[in-house]
Amino acid sequence: MKRLVILGGGESGVGTALLGKAKGYDVFVSDKGKIKEKYKDVLLNNEIEFEDEQHTESKILNADIVMKSPGIPDKVALVKQIRETGIKVVSEIEFASKFTDATLVAITGSNGKTTTATLTHHLLNQDLDVGLAGNIGDSFAKQILEKNHDNYVLEISSFQLDDIVDFKPKIAILTNVTPDHLDRYDYKFENYIASKFRVIENQTEDDYFIYDADDEVILDYMKTHQIRSKKLPFSLTKVIEQGAYLDNNNITITIDNNKIIMPTKNLALEGKHNVKNAMAASTVAHLLKIRKQTIRESLENFQGVEHRLEHVLKINKVQYINDSKATNVNATYFALESMDAPTVWIVGGVDKGNEYRELFPFVNEKVKAIICLGVDNAKLMESFGKMVDVIIETQYMSEAVKIAYKLADAGDNVLLSPACASFDLFENYEDRGRQFKNAVRNL
């Protein structure tokens, strides 16, 4: 019996444990932190051995295969030791994909992947049996065990791609590549870019690669690396023969002489970046033979993603917008770009080596006041201090929202778009977004 050791007792870890046990592995789960009660209950009910708040090396280094949670960096001593022992280390998507024959649509990128994955699932779900997994919802492994859909839309982070071996999606989407998580890639942007491109490394000419043809980073990488899969780019500025482009506010998608045209005027999601997300998702739907009418209707009734430019409430003619999911500068760039009124901007958190310069034009043009919400706001104060009349620091969401309420006039926006990770003051970006919404509702 092969021994499967799982590092990390969260959603992906517990899902993998259940699938591993069902497939005849001897399973052990080890978490250096505390495993949440709901996950402990699942492990106990399924008689899966586990430990938390420690890693017992003797129970780990005898593994045949180790599934490591994406949150654990490679530089951790235990992970180095496992690799030096010659034990194979894989991610959940690598392990789980071995047990399904489903058509896999894998979506990665620095920004837009959650919206694109959710939208793609929404388009396909009208006509096909399709699961949504990866960085989102129930774990991929658990769904294979319990539902085993015919198709999966997977939102995949670079950390999950770092530990693949044979993982091969039928359709891969790369939304964009901008500097993010550089702390995990030796502060080398090229390492992070290479990690994102691993989504297509096992693809053949029978598979498809959908990507943003307006993204210089992607185009530069493709100039020097051979891509075997069929390319279906999307663009807002160029005419694309095979793929998608914008023509007079219509999205035109062409695949093998089969053309469909979708008007953008009724898209449920606003902003240029969402036209791109819609192009990528519609290209997948077109590839998988979803009817044009279904695609059009689905694009018009899609509700969007929580914590992503989510309109919370209007109070005294001021619109409060929750964009807590903007954990990097590029995401905040899209948010500020789409603001059409003077904006009070709440920003800050754990800086991942951010470069704020690309935000300067928007801050000069649209932002009337900045509220820095983080433990260390020095870099923000230095970057933006001279650009706005009002810049204030706080470490409490409730206080940030009260200050914003005082600063905003009728017709203004209050935007939470942090451009940073949330771990200094919050459990995660969802916690940050929920605290923002609660604070707004309590005004």
Side-chain angles (χ1 to χ4, degrees), residues 150-214:
D150 299 335
N151 306 273
Y152 284 95
V153 176
L154 302 172
E155 180 199 320
I156 299 180
S157 71
S158 53
F159 303 158
Q160 288 165 309
L161 291 169
D162 288 337
D163 295 312
I164 64 166
V165 183
D166 305 311
F167 176 73
K168 178 174 104 73
K170 179 75 184 167
I171 303 172
I173 299 179
L174 182 52
T175 57
N176 48 47
V177 185
T178 60
D180 192 9
H181 300 297
L182 296 189
D183 47 345
R184 282 276 289 259
Y185 294 98
D186 299 328
Y187 292 96
K188 290 185 180 138
F189 188 31
E190 61 272 23
N191 294 1
Y192 174 67
I193 298 167
S195 169
K196 286 291 187 199
F197 268 93
R198 291 196 67 188
V199 74
I200 57 169
E201 74 178 17
N202 296 314
Q203 284 193 324
T204 66
E205 48 279 1
D206 297 330
D207 303 312
Y208 295 92
F209 178 38
I210 298 169
Y211 61 92
D212 183 350
D214 303 333

Side-chain angles (χ1 to χ4, degrees), residues 349-405:
V350 181
D351 183 302
K352 298 180 270 191
N354 287 352
E355 169 54 70
Y356 292 109
R357 196 167 294 126
E358 61 175 301
L359 303 179
F360 290 179
F362 294 135
V363 173
N364 280 321
E365 183 194 341
K366 305 180 177 203
V367 174
K368 62 186 276 185
I370 293 177
I371 299 166
C372 304
L373 175 65
V375 170
D376 178 8
N377 301 308
K379 196 164 158 191
L380 291 168
M381 301 295 279
E382 193 186 324
S383 301
F384 300 111
K386 295 191 175 71
M387 281 190 195
V388 289
D389 296 336
V390 182
I391 185 163
I392 296 170
E393 291 189 81
T394 176
Q395 293 191 0
Y396 302 98
M397 181 62 82
S398 55
E399 189 181 23
V401 169
K402 281 179 189 148
I403 297 166
Y405 176 79

